[in-house]
Amino acid sequence: MSVLASSDGTASGTVLVENERTRVTEWRFPAKGDNTGWHVHEHDYLVVPLLDGELLLHEPDGTTRVVELRCGAPYFREKGVHHDVVNASNFEIAFIEVEFLERVAG
């Protein structure tokens, strides 16, 4: 996860692949309440959940929302997303995040 600003979180990220076009990171939230910390995404990105579960998203305007993850069901977001992501499940949550570091002309 590329960040413009961040606070410390308790989730762990492991970069699996990184090159000039993409970065692939596995994110793990071992327990309920583990979080990424506040961050702003600098790149468009795709998330592929590795487990079913729920995440709680805190947004800068003070709103929160719960999103359901389904194993293998990807979702896409554009750069600029600003949030803190929290495990809202009573078990470990994990997902793969693929960041698109450069746009390919075409």
Side-chain angles (χ1 to χ4, degrees), residues 1-4 13-27 40-47 96-102:
M1 160 181 40
S2 289
V3 294
L4 297 174
T14 303
V15 175
L16 304 174
V17 174
E18 187 166 11
N19 58 44
E20 63 281 348
R21 295 175 62 185
T22 58
R23 181 183 304 117
V24 179
T25 305
E26 179 182 81
W27 284 96
V40 177
H41 289 265
E42 293 182 306
H43 308 285
D44 292 349
Y45 64 100
L46 178 78
V47 171
I96 298 292
E97 178 183 79
V98 180
E99 296 173 273
F100 303 100
L101 304 180
E102 78 173 37

Side-chain angles (χ1 to χ4, degrees), residues 12-88:
S12 62
T14 303
V15 175
L16 304 174
V17 174
E18 187 166 11
N19 58 44
E20 63 281 348
R21 295 175 62 185
T22 58
R23 181 183 304 117
V24 179
T25 305
E26 179 182 81
W27 284 96
R28 292 204 167 264
F29 302 68
K32 186 171 188 171
D34 283 332
N35 71 312
T36 58
W38 283 96
H39 60 279
V40 177
H41 289 265
E42 293 182 306
H43 308 285
D44 292 349
Y45 64 100
L46 178 78
V47 171
V48 182
L50 298 175
L51 302 163
D52 290 347
E54 292 183 337
L55 294 175
L56 175 65
L57 304 179
H58 293 279
E59 297 174 344
D61 64 2
T63 61
T64 59
R65 60 188 173 103
V66 175
V67 295
E68 290 190 36
L69 300 180
R70 293 293 164 242
C71 182
Y75 62 88
F76 173 84
R77 298 288 183 266
E78 292 184 352
K79 69 179 181 177
V81 172
H82 184 188
H83 57 195
D84 182 20
V85 179
V86 181
N87 180 356

